[in-house]
Amino acid sequence: MDALKSFIDLFADPRLFFLTTVVALVLIVWKRETFASDRWGWGLMGFLVVFFGFGLFDENFKLIIGKPDNVPIVALIFLLLFFTWFSMREAVRNDRRLSAGEPPIEKDEEDRVWTWPDLVYTELIAMVLCTVILIVWSIGLEAPLEQPANNANTPNPSKAPWYFLGLQEMLVYFDPWLAGVVLPSLIIVGLMAIPYIDNNPKGNGYYTFNERRAEVTIFLFGFVVLWSSLIILGTFLRGPNWNFFGPFEYWDIHKLEALTNVQLSEYIWVRWLGMALPGNWLVREIFGIILTIVYIGVLPVALAKKGLTGYYEKLGPTRYYVTVLLFLSMMSLPVKMLTRWLFNLKYVVSIPEFFFNI
Amino acid sequence: MADTKTIEPKSPALVRAWDWITETQIWTSIFRHSAPINDRNRVLVMLSNVFLHMHPVRLRKSGVRLRYTWCMGGMSFFLFLVLTFTGLLLMFYYRPTLEYAYSDIVGLREHVPLGIMREMHRWGAHAMVITVWLHMFRVFMTGSYKPPREFNWNVGVIMLVLTLLLSFTGYLLPWDQLAIWAITVGSNMARATPFLGHEGPGASLMALGDVQLVHAADDARFALLGGTFVGEGALLRFYVLHCVALPLVIGFLMAVHFWRVRKDGGISGPL
Ligand code: HEM
């Protein structure tokens, strides 16, 4: 038992965690015919139940899962997996019909039914169930209340409310102005832009994957892998000093993680060119600045010429550039993660003179 | 056969009482038609009831199926109503000042026998964040944001942000360690707002001659907290936002949202 726990803890590492979620998504999308089977859906749910059931016998696991404010995130894990599976299942079912030349299931259910009783009774049952669940939850679990607020006593770890923990996790890779301000704003802008940049007329009003492959895959990557799984990571696996802890590991305040992150400027000037860092910040950071400009300025244009020409033609210039810029902003997180893990890269551009670090 | 007389058995007392009640002037003044058990009254009930009239009279079969909507939009709305109600009750007890905030919460816990309003409010809020996310998830997976529903998707995105802000502002109110540090961590980000936060890129450019325009006591974070740290000003600000401003805005947007669902042709389906 303990061997199994330490084995799981060994694998619990932000890199492996993230990689696993990405691989899982690739498999879900690629092998969706298999994934969409009922056996897989119930299997996954069963696995989660067993995992959490097993975990509850462990003191450290129980401590973090059982924190009252963390209970909803346990629920989120189940719900998220279930609905990812469920929507893929419905999409696959419809895709089979579509490729056989039949209309989607929703088309067969086009007939109108009476709102009373069909809808109002469903609503009534939903409200009653919702109320019952909420009351049982409220009786069973007391809302937390800690010591009175004290500005002089900082808890370790200090965590934002759970729904912002994905953003807090981004702080490992980006400075606050990006992780806390610019990227969140871009998430909102990006969500709002979706209906205007996606001009694919198909897949309107029914589940499908084949008719909107890129859209669904990108959304799942953003919502399930980046947003949600980082929340789960931030809640359950980040302990004191924002160090990473396995689910069965004791949150040791003294755990040390050697961090020797290096700036891009130091890599280039000092390690490759064997020179001292230039005093002028523009000269010092010129490579990083060029790299950034290439990423957001040149890359989209180059991709329009080669690689994404099809999309460029389908979307037209405005939609294309907005889409690619938003996509590249989203991908800046995994890109920064990878460079950190592979090269210990701290900042691509680092101009502390202006609080400007990328 | 024609002249055989049938004697109706007398109906049970309860049925007679019911019949009598539903014929009184009081009853008929409230319910303008009889029970919706035939098509005519099924139409009438939807048209004459203010709460039901946001629904259409009839809707596509897929629209009532859990398979299609997961009921998540409706659940978000219901949770919002529960939160409004429980929040109102909490407001009777809670005073947003450094002196009372924490002790009022302790009082709620210790002096209200069987009290679960605080729990209902807190767990309901967590649940609403989740249901709103899942609602967005299903709207995306069914492609329901596509024309003509682009605008309604946008109304939804704003409500999503407001839901998170409601939850965030409420988190501070118990005024315990959990509360102020979560808000401290969250609001520290505002310090780094480009140009408008005193530790944000470009803030030093915001100067008139020698006078720095953006500093710790007037930047974006200060505006959010009403101070340079999470203190009395922040508590009052968050309280007003949480109990008045944000609920009003989101309530207003919900009305727009539901109106648009109807005007865009009801729950989406294949064209
Ligand atoms: C405060 C939160 C929200 C509430 C109370 C709410 C409520 C609802 C309800 C009751 C419906 C009817 C169908 C259903 O239940 O699925 C609906 C539909 C819709 N919602 Fe929301 N919603 C909220 C947030 C959002 C968000 C965050 C989005 C998207 C980002 C969104 C986009 C839409 C769209 C596009 C429809 C039309 C879907 C269709 O016709 O199939 N809503 N909403």
Side-chain angles (χ1 to χ4, degrees):
Chain A
M1 212 53 130
D2 282 342
L4 181 61
K5 285 183 195 167
S6 17
F7 182 71
I8 297 178
D9 280 343
L10 202 68
F11 271 88
D13 166 289
R15 288 165 280 195
L16 272 171
F17 180 88
F18 186 72
L19 212 70
T20 314
T21 54
V22 173
V23 171
L25 178 68
V26 171
L27 285 177
I28 285 174
V29 165
W30 181 32
K31 295 281 173 206
R32 56 189 175 281
E33 293 275 341
T34 320
F35 176 71
S37 66
D38 288 359
R39 210 170 337 134
W40 262 88
W42 299 121
L44 264 177
M45 290 297 114
F47 169 76
L48 278 184
V49 171
V50 171
F51 179 75
F52 279 93
F54 166 73
L56 284 180
F57 289 102
D58 182 90
E59 280 310 307
N60 296 321
F61 191 89
K62 214 164 77 184
L63 211 61
I64 179 71
I65 296 292
K67 257 178 116 180
D69 271 341
N70 287 352
V71 170
I73 303 132
V74 178
L76 179 70
I77 296 179
F78 281 83
L79 289 168
L80 201 68
L81 262 175
F82 175 78
F83 280 115
T84 307
W85 168 76
F86 183 78
S87 48
M88 282 314 262
R89 168 177 179 263
E90 296 307 311
V92 165
R93 284 174 64 189
N94 268 347
D95 286 343
R96 285 195 194 123
R97 294 171 63 113
L98 289 164
S99 59
E102 294 165 41
I105 297 169
E106 288 84 349
K107 188 85 185 168
D108 285 354
E109 296 179 341
E110 202 170 34
D111 303 346
R112 309 280 151 155
V113 294
W114 290 103
T115 302
W116 189 301
D118 288 55
L119 181 57
V120 281
Y121 277 72
T122 314
E123 285 174 343
L124 183 71
I125 295 168
M127 288 193 283
V128 170
L129 274 181
C130 205
T131 312
V132 169
I133 291 175
L134 203 57
I135 290 178
V136 170
W137 185 1
S138 300
I139 292 174
L141 195 68
E142 199 175 28
L145 188 66
E146 296 191 352
Q147 295 301 306
N150 179 354
N151 278 306
N153 180 6
T154 316
N156 187 5
S158 286
K159 290 190 178 184
W162 61 270
Y163 34 83
F164 289 150
L165 285 185
L167 302 179
Q168 199 174 351
E169 177 66 17
M170 285 209 292
L171 282 174
V172 176
Y173 306 98
F174 285 116
D175 264 18
W177 75 278
L178 280 171
V181 185
V182 174
L183 291 173
S185 311
L186 283 177
I187 295 176
I188 299 170
V189 172
L191 281 174
M192 295 180 90
I194 287 176
Y196 303 104
I197 54 186
D198 172 9
N199 64 356
N200 173 6
K202 287 196 190 143
N204 185 346
Y206 52 94
Y207 294 96
T208 169
F209 183 84
N210 286 348
E211 292 186 347
R212 349 171 16 216
R213 290 166 199 264
E215 300 154 72
V216 174
T217 312
I218 294 174
F219 186 83
L220 287 178
F221 183 69
F223 178 63
V224 181
V225 174
L226 289 183
W227 181 259
S228 306
S229 84
L230 288 187
I231 285 176
I232 293 162
L233 186 153
T235 309
F236 294 132
L237 306 175
R238 288 291 186 183
N241 306 323
W242 210 250
N243 277 332
F244 196 91
F245 291 86
F248 304 106
E249 204 173 330
Y250 170 67
W251 280 19
D252 182 2
I253 306 194
H254 304 292
K255 177 170 176 170
L256 277 184
E257 270 182 21
L259 285 178
T260 42
N261 291 329
V262 184
Q263 319 281 18
L264 183 71
S265 52
E266 189 180 332
Y267 259 121
I268 296 186
W269 290 105
V270 181
R271 302 209 183 168
W272 288 353
L273 302 178
M275 293 158 53
L277 277 182
N280 180 308
W281 61 262
L282 187 62
V283 183
R284 187 185 71 217
E285 299 301 331
I286 192 71
F287 297 107
I289 293 174
I290 292 177
L291 214 61
T292 312
I293 292 177
V294 167
Y295 185 73
I296 57 174
V298 182
L299 195 59
V301 183
L303 285 173
K305 299 250 153 55
K306 200 171 155 59
L308 297 180
T309 331
Y311 283 101
Y312 182 78
E313 276 156 14
K314 232 183 333 192
L315 296 176
T318 315
R319 284 204 181 86
Y320 169 82
Y321 282 114
V322 174
T323 311
V324 171
L325 280 177
L326 287 169
F327 181 71
L328 287 178
S329 319
M330 177 167 104
M331 294 312 283
S332 67
L333 177 61
V335 167
K336 193 77 197 283
M337 286 170 151
L338 275 181
T339 53
R340 174 68 58 83
W341 297 334
L342 294 177
F343 312 113
N344 287 328
L345 182 73
K346 189 165 169 64
Y347 293 126
V348 179
V349 176
S350 166
I351 315 176
E353 291 90 332
F354 304 123
F355 301 114
F356 188 84
N357 300 315
I358 298 177
Chain B
M1 273 311 264
D3 33 28
T4 327
K5 200 170 165 208
T6 46
I7 301 166
E8 290 275 343
K10 224 170 162 205
S11 41
L14 227 56
V15 174
R16 268 179 294 145
W18 175 254
D19 286 346
W20 182 80
I21 290 174
T22 55
E23 276 158 25
T24 58
Q25 189 180 0
I26 299 176
W27 182 277
T28 52
S29 72
I30 303 172
F31 302 100
R32 298 308 180 91
H33 53 83
S34 43
I37 45 176
N38 56 34
D39 288 358
R40 183 187 135 82
N41 288 329
R42 283 177 183 150
V43 175
L44 285 176
V45 70
M46 301 319 286
L47 296 184
S48 62
N49 183 309
V50 64
F51 303 107
L52 293 177
H53 94 283
M54 63 176 169
H55 289 313
V57 172
R58 304 194 320 147
L59 74 169
R60 54 165 69 239
K61 197 166 157 198
S62 62
V64 299
R65 292 202 47 199
L66 273 184
R67 163 185 176 270
Y68 192 70
T69 63
W70 309 352
C71 202
M72 283 300 163
M75 215 108 97
S76 309
F77 182 51
F78 179 66
L79 283 169
F80 177 73
L81 295 180
V82 171
L83 290 168
T84 310
F85 179 70
T86 53
L88 195 85
L89 292 181
L90 291 174
M91 281 174 79
F92 287 137
Y93 289 90
Y94 173 87
R95 288 162 290 180
T97 60
L98 295 195
E99 195 182 348
Y100 294 122
Y102 183 76
S103 57
D104 282 348
I105 301 285
V106 175
L108 268 176
R109 164 182 283 217
E110 315 236 304
H111 306 312
V112 183
L114 304 178
I116 54 166
M117 279 311 120
R118 193 174 159 237
E119 279 72 18
M120 297 261 295
H121 197 72
R122 195 178 185 98
W123 305 144
H126 286 335
M128 182 172 163
V129 170
I130 295 177
T131 56
V132 172
W133 286 355
L134 292 176
H135 172 56
M136 178 183 78
F137 190 19
R138 99 84 185 146
V139 170
F140 186 90
M141 293 307 275
T142 55
S144 303
Y145 57 83
K146 299 191 175 203
R149 296 183 179 79
E150 309 98 307
F151 178 69
N152 214 13
W153 167 270
N154 275 275
V155 175
V157 174
I158 298 174
M159 289 201 292
L160 169 72
V161 175
L162 288 174
T163 307
L164 295 180
L165 287 180
L166 269 166
S167 201
F168 185 67
T169 49
Y171 215 84
L172 180 64
L173 303 183
W175 204 246
D176 62 345
Q177 281 289 75
L178 205 58
I180 66 158
W181 287 102
I183 304 308
T184 303
V185 170
S187 59
N188 270 345
M189 300 296 119
R191 260 209 286 248
T193 314
F195 301 110
L196 298 179
H198 75 283
E199 288 180 5
S204 51
L205 301 176
M206 308 287 279
L208 275 181
D210 282 347
V211 187
Q212 271 298 327
L213 292 184
V214 175
H215 47 81
D218 73 349
D219 67 347
R221 181 164 180 274
F222 191 92
L224 183 68
L225 295 182
T228 50
F229 58 91
V230 180
E232 181 124 53
L235 183 56
L236 183 61
R237 239 163 239 223
F238 276 43
Y239 177 76
V240 174
L241 286 173
H242 184 77
C243 300
V244 186
L246 296 174
L248 278 180
V249 179
I250 202 172
F252 170 78
L253 287 178
M254 280 182 193
V256 176
H257 196 61
F258 301 154
W259 173 255
R260 290 249 47 115
V261 171
R262 289 288 306 277
K263 291 293 139 181
D264 293 339
I267 308 281
S268 57
L271 303 170

